[in-house]
């Protein structure tokens, strides 16, 4: 992704291994965007768990890779298979909804387990694990690039596109999922405008998507979450593209809170509604959205709003009676019947048969009973 740091244009990923030997992982710190571009250095797997829990790193594919990197750190630190298995559980529990986290941690853990059991030397296990986690990083970026190509074919010149939250490069290692087709369409010279809902309570849209589009010179309007219905009803939106955190076998999917309402508005107004996500976002263990566990986060995220104060400091202010009882589910589940298609690296999936075929092709599903 393109960032401007100290007046210079740079291309970075949302996270990377800074020091292979010592297991130091660097994150673009998403807590401070767009006000400050800061990087968080994680030196231990517990630092990485902190980064996932506190949303230094966020977005399903990025936290999947963070989990893989965290397990590489755990391997270097702990050197003992039982302790590494426990660390893997801790990492997977850092955030419950995005399945990419457990998918990627399990992939790395399976490799480590098999090598320990085969009696492979420790330095060789470290080397192979490093290669594996860097392969996962490459796979994510490549998947997003393909999602961009497939998704851009849906976007016509002049289109007004509604997205939600941030399903951009910070959330997905690079390129983004929902933002990848938008990036590609813009690079193809299509004149597009993106409608960016603020995405209360954490404001991923206002803080991160708006910043990302600004960095890429892609025209956008920041809108309040409550304005979504208005713009759909006015027929100002040509297409909706959102990301996903977990997709069930039947195509029902979890995404940032508010997505379900957008899907209903899109249906009511005849607007095509697409989901963009890599195959690693499918949960092959669940048949429908009813089985998705939705994360509820701290009441403080609703009670307070963080922003840049006039004195140049990042401050939080209370926006409700402090005593209020709060519910803060941060995802919701949208049934597949509202989805025009799921844009993946295997093409655009429009039916349950397409989903099963793509999962089989990706080696994520051998038999339906699995
Ligand atoms: O709580 P977050 O910010 O980690 O949630 C992320 C989302 O829900 C994104 O919108 C998304 O679409 C999935 S990640 C590409």
């Amino acid at each position: 992704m393109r960032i401007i740091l100290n007046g210079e244009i740079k291309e970075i990923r949302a996270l990377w291994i800074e020091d292979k030997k010592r297991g130091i992982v660097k994150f673009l710190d998403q807590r401070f965007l767009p006000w400050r571009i800061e990087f968080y250095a994680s030196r231990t797997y517990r630092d990485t768990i902190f980064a996932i829990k506190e949303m230094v790193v966020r977005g399903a594919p990025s936290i999947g890779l963070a989990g893989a990197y965290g397990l590489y750190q755990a391997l270097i630190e702990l050197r003992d298979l039982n302790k590494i298995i426990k660390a893997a559980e801790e990492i997977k529990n850092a955030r419950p909804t995005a399945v990419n986290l457990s998918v990627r941690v399990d992939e790395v853990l399976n490799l480590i387990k098999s090598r320990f059991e085969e009696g492979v030397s420790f330095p060789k296990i470290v080397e192979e694990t490093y290669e594996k986690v860097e392969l996962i990083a490459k796979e994510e970026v490549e998947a997003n690039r393909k999602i961009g190509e497939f998704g851009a074919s849906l976007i016509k010149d002049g289109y007004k596109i509604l997205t939600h939250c941030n399903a951009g490069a910070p959330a997905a290692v690079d390129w983004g999922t929902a933002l990848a087709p938008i990036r590609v369409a813009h690079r193809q010279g299509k004149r597009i405008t993106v409608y960016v809902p603020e995405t209360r309570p954490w404001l991923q849209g206002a803080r991160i998507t708006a910043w990302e589009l600004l960095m890429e010179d892609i025209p956008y309007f920041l809108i309040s979450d409550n304005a979504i219905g208005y713009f759909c009803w006015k027929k100002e939106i040509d297409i909706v593209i959102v990301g996903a955190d977990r997709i069930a076998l039947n195509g029902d999917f979890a995404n940032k809170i508010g997505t379900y309402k957008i899907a209903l508005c899109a249906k009511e107004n005849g607007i095509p509604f697409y989901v963009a996500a890599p195959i690693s976002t499918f949960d092959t263990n669940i048949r429908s959205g009813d089985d998705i566990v939705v994360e509820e986060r701290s009441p403080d995220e609703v009670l307070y709003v963080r922003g840049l104060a006039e004195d140049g400091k990042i401050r939080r202010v209370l926006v409700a009676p402090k005593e209020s009882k709060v519910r803060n589910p941060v995802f919701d589940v949208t049934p597949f019947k509202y989805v025009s298609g799921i844009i993946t690296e295997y093409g655009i999936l429009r039916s349950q048969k397409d989903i099963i075929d793509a999962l089989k092709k990706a080696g994520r599903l051998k038999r339906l009973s699995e």
Side-chain angles (χ1 to χ4, degrees):
M1 85 187 89
R2 187 200 289 175
I3 62 163
I4 301 171
L5 190 60
N6 306 324
E8 259 182 65
I9 297 179
K10 290 201 165 166
E11 277 293 325
I12 63 154
R13 279 184 0 202
L15 64 161
W16 65 93
I17 293 184
E18 175 84 355
D19 185 327
K20 171 183 170 187
K21 210 159 156 230
R22 291 190 291 161
I24 298 175
V25 178
K26 276 253 175 112
F27 296 97
L28 169 65
D29 197 328
Q30 300 188 42
R31 294 171 301 174
F32 304 121
L33 292 174
W35 315 296
R36 289 207 303 252
I37 296 182
E38 281 193 17
F39 299 96
Y40 175 87
S42 158
R43 292 168 196 282
T44 66
Y45 84 91
R46 288 232 159 91
D47 285 350
T48 294
I49 291 176
F50 169 86
I52 296 170
K53 279 191 174 156
E54 295 303 315
M55 307 202 11
V56 170
V57 60
R58 48 149 293 282
S62 284
I63 66 175
L65 181 61
Y69 282 168
L71 202 58
Y72 173 69
Q73 293 174 303
L75 170 70
I76 295 176
E77 283 169 65
L78 305 171
R79 304 172 74 100
D80 171 277
L81 184 57
N82 286 327
K83 289 184 183 160
I84 294 165
I85 293 172
K86 273 199 196 135
E89 271 318 298
E90 280 178 58
I91 297 170
K92 287 197 281 184
N93 289 333
R95 285 194 76 190
T97 304
V99 74
N100 309 56
L101 182 58
S102 51
V103 167
R104 292 313 196 177
V105 169
D106 282 341
E107 272 181 41
V108 180
L109 184 62
N110 287 342
L111 172 82
I112 295 174
K113 260 191 199 161
S114 70
R115 294 302 180 263
F116 265 98
E117 281 156 15
E118 288 159 14
V120 173
S121 73
F122 187 71
K124 182 125 195 341
I125 299 178
V126 171
E127 187 55 36
E128 278 190 42
T129 306
Y130 174 76
E131 280 166 19
K132 172 73 187 169
V133 296
E134 287 304 55
L135 182 69
I136 290 175
K138 258 202 200 145
E139 273 176 16
E140 290 296 358
V141 177
E142 188 49 22
N144 294 344
R145 207 186 51 73
K146 287 188 182 149
I147 288 171
E149 296 293 330
F150 286 121
S153 68
L154 301 165
I155 299 173
K156 297 200 180 111
D157 188 36
Y159 258 25
K160 299 188 171 75
I161 307 157
L162 174 67
T163 187
H164 191 47
C165 189
N166 173 261
V173 188
D174 207 352
W175 285 83
T177 53
L179 286 200
I182 290 169
R183 271 196 161 81
V184 173
H186 177 71
R187 287 180 193 180
Q188 289 169 341
K190 292 175 187 163
R191 288 157 299 172
I192 54 172
T193 307
V194 187
Y195 285 57
V196 180
E198 295 170 284
T199 321
R200 272 283 283 152
W202 214 72
L203 297 172
Q204 287 93 332
R207 299 200 297 101
I208 305 175
T209 302
W211 169 80
E212 196 178 349
L213 295 173
L214 195 66
M215 292 292 117
E216 296 276 341
D217 281 331
I218 301 175
Y220 69 89
F221 289 120
L222 176 64
I223 62 171
S224 71
D225 297 327
N226 289 333
I228 290 168
Y230 171 80
F231 287 114
C232 289
W233 168 74
K234 286 276 283 179
K235 305 281 186 280
E236 238 185 270
I237 304 295
D238 297 295
I239 188 170
V240 178
I241 310 179
V242 298
D245 291 84
R246 188 180 292 244
I247 309 175
L249 282 176
N250 71 348
D252 296 351
F253 73 102
N255 193 49
K256 183 52 54 194
I257 192 81
T259 303
Y260 176 51
K261 244 165 48 174
I262 299 178
L264 297 180
C265 267
K267 183 80 177 176
E268 173 68 20
N269 292 284
I271 301 166
F273 178 95
Y274 284 89
V275 179
I279 281 293
S280 58
T281 302
F282 282 82
D283 184 345
T284 54
N285 296 313
I286 58 168
R287 285 182 185 268
S288 85
D290 296 344
D291 300 322
I292 296 177
V293 176
V294 170
E295 174 183 2
E296 287 212 28
R297 293 180 64 85
S298 161
D300 281 3
E301 290 184 353
V302 179
L303 285 173
Y304 295 87
V305 171
R306 272 172 74 243
L308 192 67
E310 281 178 358
D311 62 3
K313 295 215 165 91
I314 297 172
R315 296 189 187 278
R316 62 175 209 170
V317 291
L318 185 65
V319 293
K322 208 173 179 336
E323 301 72 16
S324 307
K325 282 191 182 159
V326 173
R327 293 292 307 274
N328 184 21
V330 296
F331 300 98
D332 58 25
V333 176
T334 302
F336 188 53
K337 65 178 178 186
Y338 296 115
V339 177
S340 311
I342 306 176
I343 312 163
T344 71
E345 67 271 42
Y346 289 84
I348 303 173
L349 317 179
R350 295 184 184 275
S351 65
Q352 289 182 7
K353 184 181 174 307
D354 287 353
I355 294 174
I356 300 301
D357 288 348
L359 287 169
K360 280 188 185 156
K361 231 194 242 172
R364 292 279 323 276
L365 190 71
K366 277 157 207 107
R367 292 187 311 272
L368 233 189
S369 57
E370 276 181 16

